[in-house]
Amino acid sequence: YFGGYGPQLMLTWLVALLTVLTGISANGIIVTRTDADIPTILPLGDSITRGTGDSGSIFGYRDHLQDYLGHHYRFVGDVADPTSNANYYVNHAGVASETTAQIESRTLELLGKFMNEGILPGSMVLIHAGTNDVTNGLTLTDSRDNVEDMIDLIHTHDPDIAIYIALIIPKIGFTAQVTTYNDLLETMIAAYNKDNLYAVDMERAYLSDTTGLCSGDWAANCMDDTTHPNDLGYQVIARTWAQAIEENQ
């Protein structure tokens, strides 16, 4: 006994003190960080960025990605899903049902709020956008142009911010349209001739089951409905983001 307290209670207090001082819990998960000590990630998009379809806690890919990246990035945005969590950043900028035009209209304000002076090297924006354009039958060349406008806004705001553009996941009943849209995005990005700009092929990750998580049938095993991934599907997205980030950062 120590000062009248049992060893288990003393151990509990010591672990709590260690967590406060280092920001690392007993299981190694970072639970507290200051805003200035790690690079920033802004996840930008629609309901797939939000995490709709995740049976767990509406994190979607974001909690898995934080695990894959070793909790070395601060996730930011003007939306929180879930509302709070002790082990993960909950903020993002995914708004359900938005088209690329609507996402573009929010981009500049988000950059001013969350990607301003003081962000560290290695900060980035992750964009998965266009699913609702495909669903609503919008002109896909216009959708591509909206994504290009987002790229321009980000590069003008800060050319050192890395931009990762998803070639979006397939949508049941719209696979041909998704492929057409992704081909437009890929061609645009390849011709863009900008540093820190990367295409991330989520469509191939699903269709070719590059992670093995979908057991060879993405529609049956990695989708919650015709549009949104289930938890396995979000793990596919997270792994694919993480691989691209690790290759390029």
Side-chain angles (χ1 to χ4, degrees):
Y1 284 78
F2 303 89
Y5 298 103
Q8 185 60 47
L9 181 58
M10 290 296 295
L11 178 61
T12 300
W13 286 358
L14 287 171
V15 169
L17 179 60
L18 178 65
T19 300
V20 171
L21 292 176
T22 68
I24 303 176
S25 67
N27 63 5
I29 295 176
I30 295 167
V31 294
T32 57
R33 303 294 297 250
T34 63
D35 285 350
D37 64 354
I38 49 178
T40 298
I41 291 179
L42 173 64
L44 179 59
D46 50 35
S47 56
I48 293 173
T49 296
R50 176 180 182 265
T52 301
D54 184 345
S55 61
S57 54
I58 322 181
F59 268 112
Y61 71 75
R62 292 172 288 109
D63 55 343
H64 302 301
L65 181 56
Q66 290 176 62
D67 286 338
Y68 291 141
L69 296 178
H71 295 254
H72 296 313
Y73 293 86
R74 177 173 62 103
F75 282 56
V76 298
D78 57 351
V79 186
D81 288 296
T83 54
S84 64
N85 187 279
N87 297 328
Y88 297 96
Y89 291 106
V90 298
N91 290 91
H92 63 92
V95 177
S97 302
E98 283 203 338
T99 64
T100 55
Q102 292 169 309
I103 296 167
E104 179 200 342
S105 71
R106 297 189 287 117
T107 299
L108 191 59
E109 182 179 0
L110 288 165
L111 293 171
K113 284 183 177 179
F114 302 108
M115 306 294 285
N116 231 326
E117 293 182 6
I119 63 169
L120 294 183
S123 294
M124 67 192 73
V125 180
L126 309 181
I127 299 175
H128 188 292
T131 302
N132 294 307
D133 300 57
V134 170
T135 303
N136 294 325
L138 303 183
T139 303
L140 296 181
T141 51
D142 290 343
S143 304
R144 173 207 58 200
D145 292 346
N146 294 334
V147 175
E148 186 170 9
D149 289 343
M150 294 181 218
I151 294 169
D152 287 337
L153 288 169
I154 297 166
H155 269 299
T156 300
H157 178 78
D158 185 341
D160 292 328
I161 294 174
I163 307 170
Y164 291 82
I165 305 292
L167 308 182
I168 65 173
I169 67 169
K171 175 179 169 63
I172 296 172
F174 291 83
T175 52
Q177 296 93 322
V178 167
T179 296
T180 297
Y181 172 63
N182 283 336
D183 288 346
L184 290 168
L185 286 181
E186 189 169 26
T187 300
M188 177 267 290
I189 292 168
Y192 211 83
N193 195 29
K194 291 280 190 181
D195 292 333
N196 298 336
L197 175 62
Y198 311 101
V200 183
D201 198 344
M202 300 293 179
E203 182 184 25
R204 178 175 173 273
Y206 265 69
L207 296 181
S208 299
D209 194 19
T210 57
T211 65
L213 289 170
C214 296
S215 300
D217 190 340
W218 66 270
N221 298 320
C222 281
M223 297 295 285
D224 181 68
D225 55 29
T226 60
T227 301
H228 302 99
N230 58 18
D231 187 59
L232 276 179
Y234 280 119
Q235 290 184 53
V236 173
I237 294 175
R239 285 193 187 184
T240 308
W241 281 134
Q243 181 178 2
I245 292 166
E246 290 166 357
E247 289 174 353
N248 293 292
Q249 291 300 108

